[in-house]
Amino acid sequence: NGGHMASSYQQARAALAIYSEACAPGPRHEAACNYRDWWRALDMAQRGAADQGNAVIANGYAQAMLDVARRNGDRAREAISLGVAAMQAEANADSPGADRLIAQAQHVARADGSAWVQVRVAVLGGLLHFRRQQSEAVQRDYEAALAVANAAGLKRPAMLLRANLADAYIHQGR
């Protein structure tokens, strides 16, 4: 929603009221439900809750994202959801859980084989290391993601990764 996270969060929660009833398994499940839109609304709600510092609610949305992806056999969204869940585990002071989840995300992303998924998961790994103030790991994650993005011709992600790397280098005093 164009950088307007507060209004995006409200809109996502409103959409989730509809998706949760129409798309969840059960007697009211609608065959025309687009699980990708449901997953996206969950992603936006998770970001909104995290931005407001509500780690418990954000974690619930992250878990719901993972459930929706797995239920629909969407390995790409599963990998991203695992990465998001890793970020939420870290926010909840569960570093071992975050490590386990990001490793699962990386495994699923590699198995999926899509370069854009591998890049997204690598960026989530970099954000996890940034939260931990592990600047060398951040640099390593972003450089690996940039190599994948460049090899796949993903120009926009490559551009964003170069900006992230510039920030990482500044944090290292380079």
Side-chain angles (χ1 to χ4, degrees):
N1 195 355
H4 302 286
M5 201 60 204
S7 65
S8 293
Y9 184 32
Q10 291 173 347
Q11 291 171 3
R13 290 190 334 205
L16 286 175
I18 296 166
Y19 285 124
S20 295
E21 187 170 313
C23 296
R28 294 186 180 190
H29 178 80
E30 295 181 16
C33 174
N34 184 335
Y35 79 89
R36 290 174 190 90
D37 290 341
W38 185 18
W39 185 91
R40 181 68 181 132
L42 286 164
D43 183 36
M44 290 174 59
Q46 180 277 140
R47 291 176 193 218
D51 284 352
Q52 289 183 356
N54 196 336
V56 174
I57 297 295
N59 185 58
Y61 287 133
Q63 290 304 313
M65 290 168 61
L66 183 57
D67 292 344
V68 168
R70 284 182 171 160
R71 190 175 314 121
N72 289 283
D74 190 327
R75 300 290 281 174
R77 283 177 179 77
E78 179 182 353
I80 294 165
S81 299
L82 284 163
V84 169
M87 297 293 294
Q88 290 310 314
E90 186 69 19
N92 285 315
D94 181 9
S95 292
D99 291 339
R100 181 182 49 79
L101 288 163
I102 200 68
Q104 288 178 333
Q106 292 163 344
H107 176 76
V108 172
R110 282 190 301 274
D112 177 72
S114 299
W116 72 271
V117 175
Q118 293 175 36
V119 168
R120 287 277 303 271
V121 169
V123 168
L124 288 167
L127 290 170
L128 181 65
H129 289 119
F130 180 79
R131 280 193 180 168
R132 295 176 177 173
Q133 299 179 351
Q134 299 170 329
S135 58
E136 290 175 6
V138 172
Q139 178 185 335
R140 191 173 51 249
D141 291 337
Y142 289 164
E143 286 174 346
L146 181 58
V148 171
N150 283 335
L154 301 174
K155 294 181 181 187
R156 189 174 194 288
M159 175 194 65
L160 294 171
L161 282 162
R162 282 191 285 279
N164 288 352
L165 269 169
D167 288 343
Y169 295 149
I170 289 169
H171 283 290
Q172 291 179 4
R174 290 178 160 193

